[in-house]
Amino acid sequence: MSRIVLGVSGGVAAYKAALLLRAFTAAGHDVRVVPTPGALNFVGAATFEALSGNPVTTDVWSDVHQVAHVRIGQGADLVVVAPATADLLARAAAGRADDLLTATLLTASCPVVFAPAMHTEMWLHAATQDNVATLRRRGAIVLPPAVGRLTGPDSGPGRLPEPEDIAALATVVLGSGPDALAHDLSGRRVVVSAGGTREPLDPVRYLGNRSSGKQGWAVARVAAARGAEVVLVAANVDLPVPFGVRTVPVGTAEELRVAMLAEAATADVVVMAAAVADFRPESAAATKLKKGAASEPDSVPLVRNPDVLAELVTKRAPGQLVVGFAAETGDEDGDVLSHARAKLARKGCDLLVVNDVSGGQVFGRAENTVVVLTADGAVTEVPQGSKDAVAAGIWATIVPRLHDDSRR
Ligand code: CTP
């Protein structure tokens, strides 16, 4: 259990703070909500008190004997401000202490995460961008806002990331520290494949696999939080798109191959987290296969699909890092790691993220554990954790290997 301060400033998205609060308390954290007075125009203090089980005050004149404006910040393991309005970011950057939330920000020595939400013009304004840069320079994590529907008919960057995304990233910071979301992929282009391909047998049937896409999603989400421009080539995944990420939906291995080769041409990092079918039916029937019909097949001949990862390696741009995934089981020929080392060498990628799937233990599960092998011989164990925590561990291995001269 951690002590989380949830700061809420005065924007329409304040109602989503209630969902974020629920996510934190459901995970067992002790949450103290500190709204600005403006936030209470959108959501009442009673809602935050009932959901957190803790008192809610906005000013520094309540409970003065407990010195709340100092104690709340000092006692926190993490401060998350969601939504962070343009005004809140400005006051935080200026070091003001004109309400309980800004006073708390000045006394907190723990990691601080801001999740901005405002109209696009306000987000893009040089004043806001300068304030964000100042806060980041001081070590705060400022998540990029999502792109999408804003209040009223407007749409663009400025939407609050989904509460589940914020909770997932806050949990990464709690587990791995603020460096896990350092803003060091700014200006970098990252392409991630996720999900599992489906190879059609006829218009209604396909050969597929059990990949949920969650690990690739987390890899994309963490990269976006670190400032990268992220493209997610998504094979049959129906999950909410992480903020800051553009998706390219694909179905078959061949469609995935075409999309990956196109997107990878200008990428700094390519991550092949998708489960690509190695084989596909030789031909897909144009109409549904029916039992008893003359067209009823005795068997389904399969042909090999292209190896997308191997092709990406041969076509990789100078300085580009290519990361493969391997789901392995040990057998009489060797253990998981020896199979993985052989695969890293065979595929020629720079890093290989290895999942031990003996007994089908990873698919669809929230928790994961991996080992990252690198072509330079290093072996990094990423401890058991959420798929976001694992994604953070994977990026911690990738980032130091990025070449400064590979920016394109
Ligand atoms: N992969 C790919 N194209 C394929 C098969 C796999 O790009 N046709 C990629 C996966 O996205 C993953 C990596 O290759 O990043 C390893 O996938 P895996 O299925 O474990 O490897 P295989 O080449 O199928 O090796 P093996 O059959 O020996 O297990």
Side-chain angles (χ1 to χ4, degrees):
M1 182 200 74
S2 299
R3 287 158 305 175
I4 298 178
V5 171
L6 175 57
V8 184
S9 55
V12 178
Y15 77 93
K16 292 189 183 171
L19 299 172
L20 183 56
L21 170 55
R22 283 299 288 263
F24 285 147
T25 53
H29 301 302
D30 180 34
V31 187
R32 176 83 194 239
V33 184
V34 183
T36 63
L40 296 185
N41 289 321
F42 295 96
V43 181
T47 300
F48 293 132
E49 288 194 349
L51 291 177
S52 70
N54 281 319
V56 168
T57 44
T58 62
D59 61 62
V60 294
W61 309 117
S62 309
D63 303 322
V64 174
H65 64 290
Q66 292 179 340
V67 209
H69 72 287
V70 176
R71 294 278 177 269
I72 293 174
Q74 280 178 337
D77 298 310
L78 176 72
V79 178
V80 178
V81 184
T85 59
D87 179 66
L88 187 281
L89 293 172
R91 290 191 293 126
R96 303 274 310 249
D98 42 3
D99 57 23
L100 188 57
L101 177 54
T102 44
T104 298
L105 289 170
L106 281 182
T107 52
S109 53
C110 61
V112 177
V113 178
F114 294 94
M118 64 198 72
H119 260 73
T120 302
E121 294 84 348
M122 297 173 94
W123 171 250
L124 294 178
H125 195 284
T128 305
Q129 291 300 311
D130 282 353
N131 291 329
V132 168
T134 299
L135 291 166
R136 282 186 177 142
R137 185 169 41 76
R138 292 185 195 142
I141 294 157
V142 184
L143 300 177
V147 179
R149 179 91 195 271
L150 305 170
T151 321
D154 298 354
S155 170
R159 194 181 147 87
L160 188 75
E162 294 311 306
E164 315 83 75
D165 278 348
I166 301 172
L169 293 170
T171 309
V172 166
V173 174
L174 274 175
S176 316
D179 286 352
L181 297 187
H183 204 256
D184 50 8
L185 290 177
S186 176
R188 300 286 192 177
R189 210 165 162 269
V190 168
V191 180
V192 182
S193 71
T197 62
R198 291 180 183 173
E199 311 301 322
L201 272 164
D202 70 13
V204 292
R205 303 186 182 92
Y206 57 82
L207 290 183
N209 60 67
R210 293 165 62 197
S211 173
S212 67
K214 287 181 185 164
Q215 186 61 70
W217 241 238
V219 168
R221 180 166 37 236
V222 170
R226 292 181 85 137
E229 182 197 332
V230 183
V231 178
L232 188 48
V233 174
N236 309 298
V237 188
D238 188 19
L239 292 170
V241 178
F243 65 91
V245 175
R246 174 168 68 84
T247 52
V248 179
V250 295
T252 63
E254 182 53 27
E255 287 167 15
L256 184 137
R257 173 182 166 272
V258 171
M260 286 304 289
L261 287 173
E263 296 293 342
T266 54
D268 296 287
V269 186
V270 179
V271 183
M272 274 295 294
V276 184
D278 283 325
F279 306 97
R280 66 175 184 278
E282 191 169 36
S283 60
T287 54
K288 191 179 165 194
L289 298 171
K290 288 189 184 301
K291 49 186 182 301
S295 59
E296 178 178 333
D298 295 330
S299 61
V300 179
L302 300 176
V303 293
R304 274 249 196 135
N305 267 332
D307 188 327
V308 183
L309 179 60
E311 191 170 349
L312 286 165
V313 166
T314 55
K315 294 184 176 162
R316 94 183 117 195
Q320 181 181 81
L321 292 179
V322 179
V323 183
F325 269 63
E328 294 290 346
T329 54
D331 57 24
E332 60 280 3
D333 294 329
D335 61 7
V336 167
L337 269 190
S338 64
H339 282 307
R341 275 198 197 92
K343 189 169 286 182
L344 176 69
R346 195 166 66 242
K347 300 251 182 183
C349 48
D350 302 286
L351 295 93
L352 191 71
V353 180
V354 186
N355 255 319
D356 182 347
V357 290
S358 312
Q361 48 181 325
V362 172
F363 300 105
R365 293 220 335 213
E367 297 258 305
N368 199 2
T369 172
V370 301
V371 173
V372 185
L373 303 183
T374 45
D376 53 28
V379 179
T380 309
E381 277 189 42
V382 180
Q384 168 104 15
S386 69
K387 292 197 170 174
D388 288 86
V390 167
I394 293 169
W395 280 110
T397 318
I398 297 173
V399 169
R401 291 175 167 79
L402 273 168
H403 305 278
D404 278 343
D405 56 357
S406 71
R407 286 177 184 277
R408 60 204 90 232

